[in-house]
Amino acid sequence: KRYETVPDVAGEMEKWFMVADRYGFVEHDPTMRTVVDSQVKKEVERSTKWAGMAVHTVIHGRDLHAFKTSAKFYKRIYKGIPDCWRRDAWYFLCTDELRAAKNDDAIVEHYHQLLDKPSIHERQIDLDIPRTMNGHIMFRQRYGQGQRALFNVLRAFSSYDEEVGYCQGMTNIAATLLVYFEEEVSMF
C-alpha cells in the first residue's frame, strides 16, 4: 500500500525531542524531570571554565579545540567534562593532544575499506544492536540512522582487530561515542 501523503518526519522527530531528556534518552514521564537548578548552574559554571581553557585551532579544514594540559586540566576532567565540551575534550585526549589528528584522512579511508570487508560477527552484532541504548532517540528506530552507524562501527572494528573481533559489551561503548562523534571517528 502506498502512502497517500508524505509522512511528517520533522513532526515525528519533534515528538521524540519533546519527551527526551537533555542527553537524548526518552523519559516515560517528562513532568518528573529531576534536573535541579543547582545542577544546571554547576554545569554552566563548568562549561564557562572549559571555554576559558579551550584554544580554537583548524586542522585539515576542521574546527577543533586544544587545551593546555596542566594539573588543573586533569583535575577538571576528574570532576566531569561538561556535556557541551565532551566531544572536543575526548577527541583532544584520544588524538594525543591533536598530534594524531593530522592522520584523520587516512583513518577515514581505512574505515571505509574495513566496511567493504565481510565480518564473521555481523549476525551477532545485528542481534545485539536493538538492545543497545534503546531508550536513546538516536537508537530507537530499528535500522534507523543511529543503529546503522552503530552496526558499521562494530563491524569495521571486528575486521580491524580480528583477534578481539566483537563482544556484546562493545555496543554500549560504541553507542556512547556515536552520540558525540561521527561514525568514522567513533571507530578508532
Side-chain angles (χ1 to χ4, degrees), residues 34-45:
T34 58
V35 177
V36 182
D37 288 338
S38 62
Q39 290 174 317
V40 173
K41 185 179 176 183
K42 186 171 288 280
E43 180 87 5
V44 170
E45 195 176 287

Coordinates of all heavy atoms in Angstrom, one line a residue, residues 34-45:
T34 N 14.2 15.5 36.9 CA 14.9 15.6 38.1 C 16.1 16.6 38.1 O 16.8 16.6 39.1 CB 15.4 14.2 38.6 OG1 16.2 13.7 37.6 CG2 14.2 13.3 38.9
V35 N 16.2 17.3 37.0 CA 17.3 18.2 36.9 C 17.1 19.4 37.9 O 16.1 20.1 37.8 CB 17.5 18.7 35.5 CG1 18.7 19.8 35.4 CG2 17.8 17.6 34.5
V36 N 18.0 19.5 38.8 CA 17.8 20.6 39.8 C 18.5 21.8 39.3 O 19.5 21.8 38.6 CB 18.4 20.1 41.1 CG1 18.3 21.1 42.2 CG2 17.8 18.8 41.5
D37 N 18.0 23.0 39.7 CA 18.6 24.3 39.2 C 20.1 24.3 39.6 O 20.9 24.9 38.9 CB 17.9 25.4 39.8 CG 16.5 25.7 39.2 OD1 16.3 25.2 38.0 OD2 15.7 26.3 39.8
S38 N 20.5 23.8 40.7 CA 21.9 23.8 41.2 C 22.8 23.0 40.2 O 23.9 23.4 40.0 CB 22.0 23.3 42.6 OG 21.6 22.0 42.7
Q39 N 22.2 21.9 39.7 CA 23.0 21.1 38.7 C 23.2 21.8 37.4 O 24.3 21.8 36.9 CB 22.2 19.8 38.4 CG 22.2 18.8 39.6 CD 21.4 17.6 39.3 OE1 20.3 17.7 38.7 NE2 21.8 16.4 39.6
V40 N 22.2 22.5 37.0 CA 22.3 23.3 35.8 C 23.3 24.4 36.0 O 24.1 24.7 35.1 CB 20.9 23.9 35.3 CG1 21.0 24.8 34.2 CG2 19.9 22.7 35.0
K41 N 23.2 25.1 37.1 CA 24.1 26.2 37.4 C 25.5 25.7 37.4 O 26.4 26.3 36.9 CB 23.7 26.8 38.8 CG 24.5 28.0 39.1 CD 24.1 28.6 40.5 CE 25.0 29.8 40.8 NZ 24.6 30.3 42.2
K42 N 25.8 24.5 38.1 CA 27.1 24.0 38.1 C 27.6 23.6 36.7 O 28.8 23.8 36.4 CB 27.2 22.8 39.0 CG 28.6 22.2 39.2 CD 28.6 21.2 40.3 CE 28.5 21.7 41.7 NZ 29.6 22.3 42.3
E43 N 26.7 23.0 35.9 CA 27.1 22.7 34.5 C 27.5 23.9 33.7 O 28.5 23.9 33.0 CB 25.9 22.0 33.8 CG 26.2 21.5 32.4 CD 26.9 20.2 32.3 OE1 27.0 19.5 33.3 OE2 27.2 19.8 31.2
V44 N 26.7 25.0 33.9 CA 27.0 26.2 33.2 C 28.4 26.8 33.7 O 29.2 27.3 32.9 CB 25.9 27.3 33.3 CG1 26.3 28.6 32.8 CG2 24.7 26.8 32.6
E45 N 28.6 26.8 34.9 CA 29.8 27.2 35.6 C 31.0 26.5 35.0 O 32.0 27.0 34.6 CB 29.7 27.1 37.1 CG 30.7 27.8 37.9 CD 30.4 27.6 39.4 OE1 29.4 28.2 39.9 OE2 31.1 26.8 40.0

